[in-house]
Amino acid sequence: MIALVCTNFAIGNGNVLYTTFMILKKISVINYKNIQSANLELSPKMNCFIGHNGEGKTNFLDAVYYLSFCRSAGNPIDSQVMLHGQDFFMLEGSYVNDMGDEELVYCGMKRGTKKHFKRNKKEYKRLSEHIGLIPLILVSPSDAIMIEGGSEERRRLMDVVISQYDHAYIDALNRYAKALQQRNSLLKMEEEPDAALMQIWEEQMAAEGELIYQKRKQFVEELIPVFQDIYQRISGDKEQVSLSYQSHCQRGPLLEVIQRDRLKDRAVGYSLHGVHRDDLEMLLGGYPMKREGSQGQNKTFVLALKLAQFDFLKRTNSRTTPILLLDDIFDKLDASRVEQIVKLVAGDDYGQIFITDTNRDHLDQILRHGNFDYHLYHVEKGQITPLASHLSDL
């Protein structure tokens, strides 16, 4: 039997609210990446996957991610997640919350056709309706691009979290993207574009952009203190880190900012100002993380950021504790940081966790740390084999 516990937490106004858990009980995976077939009954607390690199551990986590976001974490082209030589893939997850309510989520796709995504056997009209039903945070080595990459990676960090609890935000992003595309098309024209049409798209960019800015601003303001606290706990107070949200909306009314450099935009053929240029400045000791951080510090920074996002999602309107996916997070970290991370994720603040590693010692350290349910699996050439399990005495 799966035991689910409802925990409480306090929010800023002092009221106590209750979080619910959404647990993935069972999952079926067919022809997804290198996994030909997997049918697993999962632990409600800790699911650990051990195996060498390239064997399929990350692919399995990606299948779990897909059931929350209707897409792969690493590849937006659905046909490319299909097992080579096969003409379809299928994912199905059976979820339950702490009230005993069940949700069946299905995705199937044949090569050359569109995918079908269903909740309780009813197909979605719009995939955006599904986002947020099963909140989820993924931490993986590819997250290093948030520090090393361009501003679009840091905007995606904000968008992925906010979209899970605010469907109006998703709609605003889509409308903004359409207006931006239309304005850019006008800017690229050889002849002088229609001024009235340009005004229409600029006004829509400004209206949607101001809404997006306000939601991002609120998110970052609430995220920062939690992020800093988690970083200090993992690092043992060895470094000071900070985040700073940068947006053209901070320069005045966005419509004025957009229109101010229209001639320059015409010269380059695209829009130089707007929330599509927003960024998160990441600092270590007051200096850019990209320049100052070691591999271990960068990994700690990203992990703290993702765990702060986890906390944020838990405190939003849905009040559902997200599923947490931790993919190969211990590499490049010293023993003291590993120990602190183990203490964090093994605590009662976290619900269902999926964790991968090539090093059995790391996983054994986590499993020894507390009396909780766990399942341990070995992954080799896409085959997932149960190794051990434990039911807590609680």
Side-chain angles (χ1 to χ4, degrees), residues 188-200:
K188 289 181 174 70
M189 294 175 62
E190 292 187 10
E191 67 273 15
E192 190 63 27
D194 182 275
L197 194 55
M198 181 73 79
Q199 180 76 16
I200 288 172

Side-chain angles (χ1 to χ4, degrees), residues 142-193:
S142 64
D143 292 329
I145 199 170
M146 289 192 299
I147 295 173
E148 300 163 1
S151 60
E152 67 275 8
E153 304 298 338
R154 293 178 283 278
R155 288 192 297 275
R156 186 177 296 115
L157 177 151
M158 296 186 282
D159 294 344
V160 165
V161 178
I162 301 172
S163 295
Q164 290 187 70
Y165 66 87
D166 191 335
H167 283 187
Y169 183 79
I170 301 176
D171 294 337
L173 282 175
N174 290 334
R175 289 191 296 266
Y176 181 89
K178 179 182 178 182
L180 173 63
Q181 182 183 37
Q182 295 295 330
R183 183 177 190 264
N184 285 348
S185 295
L186 292 176
L187 292 171
K188 289 181 174 70
M189 294 175 62
E190 292 187 10
E191 67 273 15
E192 190 63 27

